[in-house]
Amino acid sequence: MIKIAPSILSANFAALGEAVSKLAAQGADWVHFDVMDGNFVPNITFGPNTCKAIRPLTDLPIDVHLMVEHPSDWIEPFKNAGADILTIHVESAERHLHRALQAIHAAGMKAGVVLNPATPVSTCVHLLSECDLVLLMSVNPGFGGQSFIPETLNKIRALKAEIEARGLHTLIEIDGGVNPDTAKQCVNAGADVLVAGSAVFKADDPAEMIRTLRGS
Ligand code: DX5
Ligand code: ZN
């Protein structure tokens, strides 16, 4: 079953609580929470305080995508803010990714790495046993509303083959430019979780869009 994780980056920030409260009834599986530090990416969004504020508004897992230079600094704060899943970029300044993934698990959360479009799948191969999920960026991180980069499909196939060959259960999550058309291509290539920002929040009927993206 494909999971859909709406990115609240594309929600109306002036009515964020309302948007989050509706997601479960609209059929979402996870809440995707894009943290940007204005350093790793050229944009700033929100942090643990906002996560803590939305935590009581939904029972869905909060999937925190850390687009920050020093992700290890944010493991405890996000744990305390009620996050369920933490993903960290292999391109960040974190030198000890394996240890950081272990620290996320030790804090009681699910852990994963994120790869930018230019980063080869090989960079996560030796981390897979510590990853509940791998997030493949299908746009360059920093902004919602960009176009899907088709080369991502080859990365999904390569990663899926590696996961299956090793008998692992690591989920493949895709983030950026997901719409009904690219969603289908990602699922056919082997994706398990689809992040969708503008597709869901700009839709006239978000529930219908979530069903369409999932293919059910
Ligand atoms: C981009 C973020 C994405 C973004 C996706 O840096 O990581 O989660 O919100 O937005 P769409 O679906 O509009 O491409
Ligand atoms: Zn994201």
Side-chain angles (χ1 to χ4, degrees), residues 21 39 55 80 85 101 110 135 153 167 172 206 211 213:
S21 314
N39 190 13
R55 178 67 285 179
N80 295 336
I85 302 163
L101 292 166
K110 298 220 182 291
L135 173 48
L153 298 170
I172 302 178
R211 280 195 295 275
L213 293 174

Side-chain angles (χ1 to χ4, degrees), residues 18-195:
E18 203 182 314
V20 170
S21 314
K22 288 181 183 166
L23 285 174
Q26 289 169 341
D29 298 283
W30 296 353
V31 179
H32 188 77
F33 191 92
D34 284 307
V35 180
M36 304 186 189
D37 67 351
N39 190 13
F40 180 74
V41 285
N43 200 359
I44 294 176
T45 53
F46 33 58
N49 286 343
T50 307
C51 183
K52 193 173 179 183
I54 64 161
R55 178 67 285 179
L57 306 179
T58 183
D59 291 330
L60 297 177
I62 300 180
D63 169 31
V64 176
H65 173 191
L66 287 177
M67 285 164 274
V68 305
E69 277 292 3
H70 299 287
S72 297
D73 294 350
W74 299 100
I75 297 172
E76 274 313 306
F78 274 103
K79 167 66 189 165
N80 295 336
D84 299 278
I85 302 163
L86 227 54
T87 56
I88 59 177
H89 271 263
V90 301
E91 309 86 358
S92 72
E94 175 56 67
R95 286 189 186 193
H96 305 289
L97 288 165
H98 188 274
R99 182 188 289 152
L101 292 166
Q102 288 181 319
I104 296 169
H105 281 141
M109 295 177 284
K110 298 220 182 291
V113 286
V114 191
L115 275 56
N116 278 336
T119 304
V121 166
S122 58
T123 55
C124 71
V125 161
H126 302 292
L127 297 168
L128 284 182
S129 56
E130 287 297 329
C131 289
D132 300 292
L133 70 163
V134 172
L135 173 48
L136 298 179
M137 290 305 303
S138 39
V139 297
N140 290 293
F143 306 93
Q146 304 179 77
S147 298
F148 184 86
I149 298 171
E151 176 61 20
T152 312
L153 298 170
N154 287 329
K155 293 174 75 176
I156 299 173
R157 289 185 201 104
L159 180 56
K160 190 72 171 185
E162 176 75 19
I163 289 168
E164 287 186 343
R166 289 166 57 181
L168 298 171
H169 300 286
T170 318
L171 298 176
I172 302 178
E173 183 177 26
I174 305 302
D175 188 1
V178 170
N179 58 37
D181 186 36
T182 57
K184 203 178 289 176
Q185 296 174 40
C186 290
V187 170
N188 289 341
D192 304 289
V193 186
L194 304 175
V195 175

